[in-house]
Amino acid sequence: MLVFDEDSASSIQKEKEETRYPPSTTSDVREKFPDVVLVSDADNAVQGAKTRMGRLLHRTTVQLARWGLEVNGITPVPEEQRTDKRLYQFFFVWFSANANILTLSAGTVGPAYYGLGILDSFYVILVVDIITCAFPAFFAIFGPKLGTRSMVLSRFSWGYYGVIIPSVLNVLSLQGYLVVNTIIGGQTLAEVSGHLSATLGIVIIALVSLAITFCGCQVLHWYQTLIWIPNIVAFITMLAVGGAELKSAPLGSPTPASPAMLLTFGSSLAATVVSWSTLTPDYGVYHDRTAPAWKLFFYAYLGFFIASFPVHILGAAFAATAVSVPSWSAGLGDGNDVGGLVAAILAPTGRFGKFLLVMLSLTAPSACAPTMYTVCMSFMTIHRAFARVPRFVIALVSTAVLIPLAIVGAGKFYTTFVDILALIGYWLAPFCAIALTEHFLFRRTFSAYAVSSAWDRPRDTSLARGAAACCALAASVALIVPCMQQVWFTGPIAARGTGDLGMLVGFGVSVPVYAGARWAERWWVARREGGVEGRGRSGRMEMGENGN
């Protein structure tokens, strides 16, 4: 929990500073500590560290808090600090994260990779976005209601030690997603001038994302509230310039699309949306805990859908039209350069188009920064030792890994993209099923989560033991493998022409398996606890009788 650092408080009082974090701290706390910084000792640098590095990290953390930046780690935010009334931020943070060139690229996958036409892509995108946007929007509710990060929340369904599995998977998949997003932003920036390379663009995008992540949740919300504006201007301009080509483009694909191709594209698209489910709780932990759940869901859902649907359609339409427009086709290349396609569309606007390209590329961190932020939080959840490392240190490591991987993978964008989406989608399906089943079937209300007392206690009875979640994951994997369809592997069921059913099967199997295993787990725990308590009472009664 948040603790009061006496050393930092005395130094701040001497300097007569009036700094505190977070800004939503209640009046009671402000009256008690009017001139101090609240820092998280357990989550950041170790107070009284023996090593020089430990003392340096602690001093750096305190200084960042003094400047008003977020220094909290995965410790749940107390109720008195969850008071931010700006619920509209739930809309803008996810609207900006999806109304950009990265979401545009997800829409291009249908025509560029699966050979679909505009009309086929439209139907798939409409159905997928309507359904899948509800998943991250619902998980966003947990942030204000419980004040806890996504992977810490998962301890209530996966157990204290079992949650290591989704935490590691989340770090790996989101880090891979960062690679793809940075590649797209870097390629777009490289199209502005012959003096810029994709490598330099990748480095710039990665560093901007690092800077936002470094500053924390408050700065990230401020950035997301504004950064959507140049993107919308660019998309409108693209429609105005390329509208004539879109009108003349055929709506259907050259060859009729098979149900398998439609389903496989839908699965890839669903993965890009559902993948936000492990992020959304992290960005509402300081917001009003008394806000109605439906209102939180409504803001988040609109943010996702209003951005994702039109931008997905736009990407699919431009990619499908590129086949009949030589300049667009040359810009897109073999499907690996979305930035080249956007540059070719905006080429008739001259310098204004290059300016929009710069803005489009520099707004890529609107998706990269939230992703990197959650990478840090998920990494902290893996082990208690990692929770004591400041977030900015983990962000630096993430960036150091991100840049070389993105540079190497830039030449094979779509292969990388599809492979990463496969990994994201397949494990996220059982993850979401487990979390939703736990909430609706066993917890039912947010008050059933004893967050403050149980979040960091492995044997607390409020936490699941993890066996049920592991059983559900194992069962889903056993059925996902024969149903998956990827370039590098096609399961025997998918090979019969069903398309990629991995996500659907993974979700559908996990619900009943987890429900049954969790019921058995709860019964076993209750019987074991009752047996121990009963033996304790019998022992005490026997001792009393002997004593008499």
Side-chain angles (χ1 to χ4, degrees):
M1 57 184 297
L2 295 178
V3 299
F4 175 61
D5 186 338
E6 296 179 354
D7 295 334
S8 62
S10 61
S11 62
I12 298 169
Q13 288 179 351
K14 290 179 181 179
E15 295 174 349
K16 304 294 184 180
E17 295 185 356
E18 296 286 335
T19 310
R20 61 183 67 85
Y21 188 89
S24 59
T25 305
T26 59
S27 58
D28 293 338
V29 177
R30 291 178 179 177
E31 291 174 3
K32 188 175 181 180
F33 306 120
D35 300 311
V36 303
V37 178
L38 293 176
V39 301
S40 179
D41 176 51
D43 289 346
N44 297 284
V46 181
Q47 188 176 17
K50 303 293 183 182
T51 65
R52 181 180 301 178
M53 179 59 69
R55 291 193 295 269
L56 175 61
L57 292 177
H58 180 61
R59 288 197 299 269
T60 303
T61 301
V62 171
Q63 184 61 51
L64 292 175
R66 195 178 297 171
W67 289 340
L69 301 181
E70 183 189 19
V71 296
N72 296 339
I74 60 173
T75 301
V77 178
E79 291 184 359
E80 62 269 18
Q81 294 186 17
R82 302 201 304 271
T83 57
D84 196 330
K85 300 291 185 180
R86 296 172 293 181
L87 300 185
Y88 62 84
Q89 291 181 337
F90 275 68
F91 172 84
F92 283 110
V93 68
W94 306 119
F95 180 80
S96 295
N98 289 276
N100 53 41
I101 192 173
L102 308 176
T103 304
L104 183 83
S105 67
T108 65
V109 171
Y113 194 79
Y114 297 108
L116 301 181
I118 296 177
L119 198 58
D120 295 330
S121 300
F122 172 83
Y123 290 134
V124 173
I125 291 170
L126 177 63
V127 174
V128 169
D129 283 349
I130 288 176
I131 296 173
T132 58
C133 285
F135 285 88
F138 179 78
F139 280 96
I141 302 172
F142 286 93
K145 294 299 181 182
L146 301 180
T148 185
R149 311 292 181 172
S150 175
M151 290 297 113
V152 176
L153 169 67
S154 299
R155 289 175 176 174
F156 289 88
S157 53
W158 286 79
Y160 186 88
Y161 298 107
V163 81
I164 295 175
I165 298 174
S167 295
V168 171
L169 290 173
N170 205 37
V171 170
L172 294 177
S173 58
L174 291 183
Q175 188 69 22
Y177 208 57
L178 269 174
V179 171
V180 175
N181 292 348
T182 307
I183 289 173
I184 302 171
Q187 288 176 339
T188 306
L189 189 59
E191 296 294 332
V192 176
S193 171
H195 300 290
L196 289 175
S197 64
T199 299
L200 180 59
I202 286 170
V203 173
I204 292 174
I205 299 303
L207 293 180
V208 173
S209 302
L210 171 64
I212 298 171
T213 306
F214 189 95
C215 295
C217 207
Q218 186 180 19
V219 173
L220 190 147
H221 273 297
W222 173 84
Y223 174 82
Q224 299 290 79
T225 302
L226 301 173
I227 202 61
W228 59 272
I229 299 175
N231 288 336
I232 298 302
V233 173
F235 291 148
I236 293 174
T237 304
M238 290 171 64
L239 275 175
V241 174
E245 301 291 351
L246 292 178
K247 290 179 181 179
S248 60
L251 294 178
S253 56
T255 58
S258 65
M261 298 302 289
L262 296 173
L263 190 58
T264 303
F265 171 53
S267 298
S268 299
L269 195 67
T272 66
V273 180
V274 176
S275 63
W276 292 107
S277 299
T278 60
L279 285 78
T280 51
D282 294 357
Y283 307 98
V285 293
Y286 299 109
H287 285 77
D288 185 12
R289 65 181 179 84
T290 64
W294 67 266
K295 184 177 291 187
L296 298 171
F297 175 87
F298 181 74
Y299 274 115
Y301 184 86
L302 287 182
F304 277 103
F305 184 77
I306 293 178
S308 296
F309 177 66
V311 178
H312 280 154
I313 292 295
L314 198 64
F318 282 128
T321 308
V323 178
S324 56
V325 182
S327 61
W328 293 11
S329 180
L332 184 61
D334 58 356
N336 285 331
D337 194 351
V338 177
L341 172 63
V342 175
I345 297 171
L346 292 174
T349 62
R351 292 183 178 180
F352 180 65
K354 290 187 177 295
F355 170 75
L356 291 178
L357 274 178
V358 174
M359 298 306 298
L360 278 171
S361 60
L362 293 181
T363 57
S366 62
C368 293
T371 305
M372 186 180 293
Y373 184 95
T374 297
V375 166
C376 299
M377 295 300 174
S378 298
F379 186 80
M380 289 180 180
T381 313
I382 295 175
H383 193 275
R384 280 182 176 175
F386 300 155
R388 302 176 77 87
V389 180
R391 186 187 68 255
F392 62 84
V393 174
I394 303 175
L396 288 170
V397 175
S398 173
T399 306
V401 173
L402 161 66
I403 292 176
L405 288 179
I407 292 173
V408 172
K412 297 181 179 180
F413 166 66
Y414 272 105
T415 301
T416 306
F417 186 81
V418 174
D419 289 348
I420 289 175
L421 290 189
L423 294 175
I424 292 174
Y426 292 138
W427 83 267
L428 275 174
F431 172 83
C432 291
I434 290 169
L436 294 175
T437 304
E438 175 69 25
H439 179 76
F440 286 108
L441 193 59
F442 297 103
R443 304 284 176 174
R444 299 184 181 179
T445 63
F446 294 104
S447 59
Y449 297 84
V451 172
S452 60
S453 61
W455 77 275
D456 200 31
R457 299 177 62 184
R459 298 189 177 277
D460 195 288
T461 55
S462 295
L463 298 181
R465 289 296 179 264
C470 291
C471 288
L473 179 63
S476 65
V477 170
L479 291 177
I480 284 174
V481 172
C483 295
M484 63 189 296
Q485 180 179 339
Q486 298 299 322
V487 175
W488 41 275
F489 177 79
T490 299
I493 296 178
R496 296 183 178 181
T498 62
D500 193 340
L501 296 172
M503 284 193 68
L504 290 174
V505 170
F507 188 91
V509 169
S510 298
V511 172
V513 172
Y514 179 77
R518 182 73 170 110
W519 178 86
E521 180 184 275
R522 286 162 60 95
W523 174 83
W524 179 81
V525 170
R527 182 179 180 182
R528 184 170 179 268
E529 294 294 330
V532 171
E533 184 179 354
R535 288 195 298 271
R537 284 197 299 266
S538 299
R540 286 192 297 271
M541 290 176 64
E542 183 178 351
M543 289 178 62
E545 293 172 358
N546 293 337
N548 291 333

